Amino acid sequence: MATPRYGQGERETLGGSIEEIEGLDYKALLSYIINQEMKKAEMYNTLRLLSKDAVWDQRVTRLFKVMYEESVGNAERLLETFRKEFPGKNPADSGGHFLEVQLSEDRLRELAYSGNLEEILEHMIGAEKLTAEIYQYLMEKSENEKVKELLRSLSEVGLERARNLEEVLSSLQQEKGS
């Protein structure tokens, strides 16, 4: 499987995101991750809606729906954790760059309508794996046990998402080869 091709601007954004996250305390990191999960939910929902218009295999539409719901659920659980840890406070809107370098909506539409499902899946697999690696790296550098545990669990979620995407991609490729 090919690694997603990131342009110079995307690599700079990713580098900026890593530097941003390294400097966050636990409260700010929770806020950041909540915001990121909501952005991912938006991305998966966009893909789900595009997949309905683009005559994709229904398994893909269902997978994007599950990933959308999972991201919303993750954000809700993280928000609940935030509110328990910091009563009376709300997570800050991080407004910064998000770790997962996402395809633009225009690019997603272009890929969807051109039938380039495999490229979308490969990009998403690469993005999930990359994010998991970055969380693992940051976890190893952190000295705060709460931050370490949060980053460890997020890394595991990213790897599980990548496995789910790989299974769908593999299934589609096998059927295509038949």
Side-chain angles (χ1 to χ4, degrees):
M1 172 183 53
T3 302
R5 295 172 294 264
Y6 296 119
Q8 183 62 32
E10 291 169 315
R11 285 193 297 270
E12 288 172 8
T13 297
L14 186 59
S17 294
I18 294 170
E19 288 175 12
E20 239 179 82
I21 292 172
E22 282 180 315
L24 297 178
D25 62 15
Y26 180 62
K27 181 179 178 183
L29 180 62
L30 266 175
S31 292
Y32 177 90
I33 300 302
I34 291 165
N35 285 303
Q36 178 171 290
E37 282 298 322
M38 291 310 298
K39 291 292 183 188
K40 283 171 39 173
E42 290 172 18
M43 178 186 70
Y44 286 125
N45 193 47
T46 297
L47 286 169
R48 181 186 64 83
L49 295 173
L50 287 173
S51 70
K52 287 181 177 180
D53 294 339
V55 193
W56 288 349
D57 187 296
Q58 287 303 303
R59 289 172 294 185
V60 176
T61 302
R62 284 191 300 272
L63 175 64
F64 289 148
K65 181 180 182 201
V66 166
M67 293 182 87
Y68 160 73
E69 291 168 348
E70 182 181 289
S71 289
V72 170
N74 287 343
E76 288 171 348
R77 281 187 295 282
L78 289 164
L79 183 58
E80 184 178 313
T81 298
F82 184 95
R83 288 188 173 144
K84 284 180 185 172
E85 296 275 336
F86 307 102
K89 303 285 184 187
N90 289 316
D93 181 5
S94 62
H97 302 295
F98 290 99
L99 255 183
E100 294 190 57
V101 181
Q102 299 172 9
L103 294 170
S104 70
E105 189 167 334
D106 289 341
R107 180 68 177 140
L108 288 172
R109 286 185 197 286
E110 177 186 319
L111 290 171
Y113 292 119
S114 70
N116 205 337
L117 176 58
E118 288 182 16
E119 187 176 335
I120 291 173
L121 291 173
E122 287 176 356
H123 175 84
M124 293 171 63
I125 292 165
E128 290 289 354
K129 285 182 175 181
L130 180 61
T131 301
E133 287 176 25
I134 292 167
Y135 285 144
Q136 184 68 31
Y137 165 78
L138 292 170
M139 183 195 76
E140 291 168 3
K141 290 186 71 173
S142 177
E143 294 178 12
N144 181 316
E145 288 305 314
K146 284 185 177 182
V147 169
K148 280 184 179 227
E149 181 56 30
L150 177 60
L151 291 168
R152 184 198 57 73
S153 68
L154 292 169
S155 178
E156 289 173 1
V157 166
L159 291 175
E160 181 62 28
R161 285 179 174 169
R163 281 189 291 273
N164 291 339
L165 289 163
E166 285 173 334
E167 287 175 14
V168 171
L169 178 60
S170 176
S171 175
L172 291 172
Q173 289 171 335
Q174 287 175 358
E175 289 175 11
K176 193 176 174 180
S178 313

